[in-house]
Amino acid sequence: MSGWNQERIRNFSIIAHIDHGKSTLADRFIQLCGALEAREMQEQVLDSMDIERERGITIKAQSVALDYHARDGKTYRLNMIDTPGHVDFSYEVSRSLTACEGALLVVDASQGVQAQTVANCYTAAELNLEILPVLNKIDLPSADPARAIQEIEDIIGIHAQDAARASAKTGVGVPEILEAIVRHVPAPKGNADAPLKALIIDSWFDNYLGTVSLVRVMDGRLKPREKIRLMATGRDYVTEQIGIFTPKRKPVAELGPGEVGYVMAGIKDVRSARVGDTITHVDRPADKPLPGFKEIKPRVFAGLYPVESSDYETFRDALSKLQLNDASLHYEPETSQALGFGFRCGFLGMLHMEIIQERLEREYGLNLITTAPTVVYEVATASEVLLVENPAKMPDPSRIVEIREPIIRATILAPQEYVGNVIGLCVEKRGIQKDMTYHGRQAMLVYELPLAEVVLDFFDRLKSVSRGYASLDYDFQEFRAANVVKLDVLINGDRVDALSVIVHQEQSQYRGRELAKKLRELIPRQMFDVAIQAAIGSKIIARETVKALRKNVTAKCYGGDATRKRKLLEKQKEGKKRMKQLGTVEIPQEAFLAVLRVDEK
Amino acid sequence: MQNFASLPPLSLYVHIPWCVRKCPYCDFNSHEARGEIPEREYVDALLRDLEQDLPRVWGRIVHTIFIGGGTPSLFAHETIDRLLSGIRARLPLDQNPEITLEANPGTVELERFKGFRAAGVNRLSIGIQSFDEEKLKALGRIHGRAEALRAAEAARAAGFDNFNLDLMFGLPGQTVEQALTDIRTAIGLRPTHLSAYQLTIEPNTLFHVRPPALPDDDSAWEMQSRLQVELAAAGYRQYEVSAYAQPGYECRHNMNYWKFGDYLGIGAGAHGKITDASGIARLWKVKHPGEYLRTAGTAESFGGEQKLSRHDATAEFMLNALRLTDGFPSPLFQERAGLPISACEPELARAETQGLIEWNAQTIRPTPQGRRFLNNLLELFV
């Protein structure tokens, strides 16, 4: 089927905080519209990666075209576009929202509004989307709809008295939401006769199909076997297949204005079909691309090294395969004296980094060492400005005129009773308060914070000082001059490049001492004493010793014991395989992330 | 395929699985005796078991017998006599065999010991563990200091000029001085052999579930170093991790384990290791006494059997032989593991670089550092 009348199309997205029930609600919609047989319904149809299911988050945008028979007797095409749900992926969110005319704001009726939802709602409002509030989990005894409504009105600033009340779990109130979408979300208003403009919402790589792009046609029509141009890269392709997701992939003859679907055009990798790019026709191009395309830059960097150096090739292949599907993953070869050959990888944020690391270990069976995450610094020397993403590459202090660190603008929402703790944490992390407002029981704090402090453990700490209630959203703001130094670690007198970190001058002494202490706890006792030193330049600022074991012997071994004792030894040996041998010293993987575990003063 | 020029010496292990009470640190196959122990039926079962194993060792001479447990000394001397006679009737014994029986103080009487001696037992191994009342209680032992002392004296009086005392150190709440007092007391009883084990908390024991407060590494190390000095001064040479003996009184049965010799194992849960032209096999019997009594002598009594691969044979050879203070003559590896020593040259070279072994054409032996960090050394081979 193709050529839907725009009057009958509704494109919408669901904005929700993690765990507020977005996926369950989406499943209900699919069920109500009869898009899948009951036996095909798998919990949370849309999150298709294992990691997405386990973590309950969405990484890749997806869409489902649903045919809804409304109470007015007409059939509507509802395109539900699922958006990533984490601060690391805010650009992707904005592109998904651009493809819609409306958004459902799903708020857990017992938990109220969270920062991530606020940020996405603001984005939706800026894009002039019609926002329909939905109070979910209304069946829970702790649900407090009146307070949730008050919060939506205070914080988001939209009318919420008529908010739909539903329980995605039981299904109560869900049909009313679909009706509200039909009634309140505006129909798209594209021009079918204008030159083609289609927005790439997301792209992914499929081993059998190649690159598949999810698109929203704004103007014009998109058909198979047409010459198309991607306006940001300027490259031309021929469309092979056009279709929609029902959620199963289903080819169609064309996608007209207002429609959402997929395009395959023999594109080799996802970097060539970037999120936010505009597709047009080669023979009748649009005069200018759709606004909002941004080159996304990684903000967090870490060195990744295979524990077994023989895994290097596998590792490189794995990264290149992951990159096929993830244009925001950057990597380049790096050599560490301590860890050998590896890659310096750039990520959108900490979650992105964890996901990539987990996929590498799980899907490719790699055993990896990750160095402490760091941000990119602008380092001005007398002759040039360098971007330094690896502490080991920091130029000699004598050459440095100025080091500038990335500053973010963070928006934190927290219940009033935790404001004191949150402010304390922000101060400790060198934050500068920019704004503080109260909305009902919630406070909204705006801070400028060094990204370097945030990538370490800010998010975990924020959760712990607020008992899990505070939420965070942030944007990159600028590079700003900072008084930072490189802190080195020496193990038995040898500098271990992979353990170097960049820290603020004022905290360097303390951090050095704590890092050495933490390493002493993490490095197991061995046959020899292990000396750990922290140094800034040539000055040793802390010293710790892992005392040698007194002995390591099994007291008894007779006859049949041998098999059992051997199994024990094998197990011990297996455990050590996860350690890195530096000279004669065995260092566990966690030690390379020790700096993350150093608490603030 | 491993290649054997000759078969290694053969020993026989007999397991008696009952104790008066199960000790909280013990992870051996032992069971508290409830009611009367079926001694007669058990010996019948052991002999059936032995007969079933015989075809594996036709014509080979048994050099040592070790009756372990459990608490074999719970058995009447008549029972042990019937057992040893039964064994002699079925297997050719060495002209001068070493026949050891494990005894626990508290179950001992002079008469019973005399009976064991008369039955042909020529070595006793007595589970003293400590002479300290409080420590014995903490270990869940049923005997006290007086019984411990009496057991050693009874052994000598019964005609055992060759006996071992088992001691433990690193006991709950033990001081270095207390550990040394125990060793001195043991030395004072003039046994030919002393075993001094550091108490280790094993999985599947009561201590593992409810761990007692043990001395820290530093004090345990001090206990060991100082008791080694005491033992050496009294003429006991350490020849294995936990074994000390007067010259010529090393336990031949255990030496055979450590030199990777062969042994038959009969009794509930007993393990055997047998070499033949096709390689080395480990075999073991069902663990539970009731099931063993029911199935002994039939195929059902086998708990399992495993052929050792080249890697297994190398690992297990080293696991045993490197426990010995003197290590082993280099050719013994080919003789017992059936492989040229060059098969583990890379590991030996690494061990040497790490200062854990001394290695030449004649001998391979652990250095003092290698003995101290034996597990690190053995990890190279597993």
Side-chain angles (χ1 to χ4, degrees), chain A residues 528-548:
Chain A
F528 310 92
D529 281 357
V530 177
I532 300 163
Q533 294 167 305
I536 294 171
S538 56
K539 192 169 160 242
I540 304 292
I541 58 165
R543 197 184 301 265
E544 295 280 345
T545 306
V546 179
K547 295 292 285 174

Side-chain angles (χ1 to χ4, degrees), chain A residues 375-394:
Chain A
V375 297
V376 59
Y377 290 89
E378 262 186 20
V379 181
T381 66
S383 53
E384 57 186 338
V385 175
L386 305 163
L387 288 175
V388 177
E389 27 185 80
N390 178 354
K393 300 257 173 70
M394 194 55 91

Side-chain angles (χ1 to χ4, degrees), chain A residues 507-523:
Chain A
Q507 294 187 335
S508 59
Q509 296 282 329
Y510 172 80
R511 287 276 188 114
R513 281 197 304 274
E514 288 300 307
L515 179 57
K517 248 190 243 170
K518 203 42 98 180
L519 285 167
R520 189 196 62 206
E521 290 165 22
L522 289 169
I523 297 174

